[in-house]
Amino acid sequence: MSDRDPLEGVPDSARDWHQGALDGDAAVCAAPQPMQPGFPCIHNKAFHDLHRDVYGRTWPNRPEEPLYVARKAPVVDGMVTVPTDDYGAVTLLEPAWCLGHSGSEAYRADIEHQGAETATMLPTLCHDVVPVLGISLVQRPFSPTEPRVHAVVKVDEDWHALNSRGLDVAAGLLVEHAAALRHLARQLAALEVQ
């Protein structure tokens, strides 16, 4: 038997989501993967076309599957209340672009507004279709380091095989995705001046 860590080379953040899926964390999709027991979906519970495991393997989010939907805190008059362990119930303004809040947070500083993720879907020879350069708006209003709204970009650390046609398709998809990046940049610029 090998002493090698089966998740060797997997980034810590992906390991955390993987462990959360195994432990039944309410924020993690955790949909089971066909033919790969023990490697559930590590996406959050926001809608995603493809499930993805800790290694980057993807499989379809089939409509006949039960919906994995977290209960969201209600928004009343543009305000949302999020329970926290350190400050109790925290009521704050809910931006129009936020997808909502589920569950409670241990710390007020961890309360996060998160917008919809936009990614380009790239067909590969090795992993079928993979999401590339996911982007979304995020704000942690009580963060001691960066409370302002900002964008986050997801960069997949896996290598994916492409032939010459696939590489040409990838170039076209990335040019199209650049338009989404520019649109989000303009949206963020407007939010920064508020």
Side-chain angles (χ1 to χ4, degrees):
M1 184 160 196
S2 170
D3 289 332
R4 185 173 168 261
D5 179 357
L7 299 182
E8 185 176 307
V10 172
D12 288 344
S13 60
R15 282 175 181 252
D16 291 344
W17 281 93
H18 174 68
Q19 193 59 51
L22 295 177
D23 293 343
D25 185 322
V28 186
C29 172
Q33 181 176 178
M35 309 300 290
Q36 294 288 344
F39 290 94
C41 178
I42 65 168
H43 280 304
N44 67 30
K45 290 208 174 169
F47 176 78
H48 43 277
D49 289 322
L50 293 174
H51 293 305
R52 179 179 185 273
D53 75 2
V54 70
Y55 289 116
R57 295 178 293 215
T58 59
W59 66 100
N61 186 352
R62 301 195 191 283
E64 63 271 14
E65 280 185 3
L67 287 176
Y68 298 88
V69 179
R71 204 181 321 148
K72 296 193 175 184
V75 178
V76 179
D77 294 330
M79 305 295 283
V80 65
T81 300
V82 179
T84 66
D85 293 345
D86 60 348
Y87 279 80
V90 176
T91 301
L92 66 157
L93 186 65
E94 178 80 331
W97 51 264
C98 182
L99 295 176
H101 302 270
S102 58
S104 61
E105 293 289 353
Y107 303 103
R108 184 179 71 163
D110 291 335
I111 294 174
E112 180 176 270
H113 298 301
Q114 185 170 26
E117 182 179 328
T118 302
T120 189
M121 304 307 284
L122 184 67
T124 70
L125 298 174
C126 53
H127 292 96
D128 196 24
V129 179
V130 296
V132 177
L133 286 180
I135 56 169
S136 62
L137 293 176
V138 168
Q139 182 186 24
R140 287 187 164 189
F142 301 103
S143 166
T145 55
E146 183 51 81
R148 297 172 298 181
V149 62
H150 56 280
V152 291
V153 179
K154 184 190 299 178
V155 180
D156 189 3
E157 295 189 17
D158 290 333
W159 291 95
H160 300 284
L162 302 170
N163 58 20
S164 59
R165 185 181 177 326
L167 194 58
D168 194 48
V169 167
L173 289 170
L174 290 171
V175 167
E176 288 176 17
H177 193 50
L181 291 168
R182 287 188 188 102
H183 173 75
L184 194 67
R186 287 190 292 276
Q187 185 180 358
L188 180 56
L191 291 168
E192 286 172 342
V193 298
Q194 290 180 356

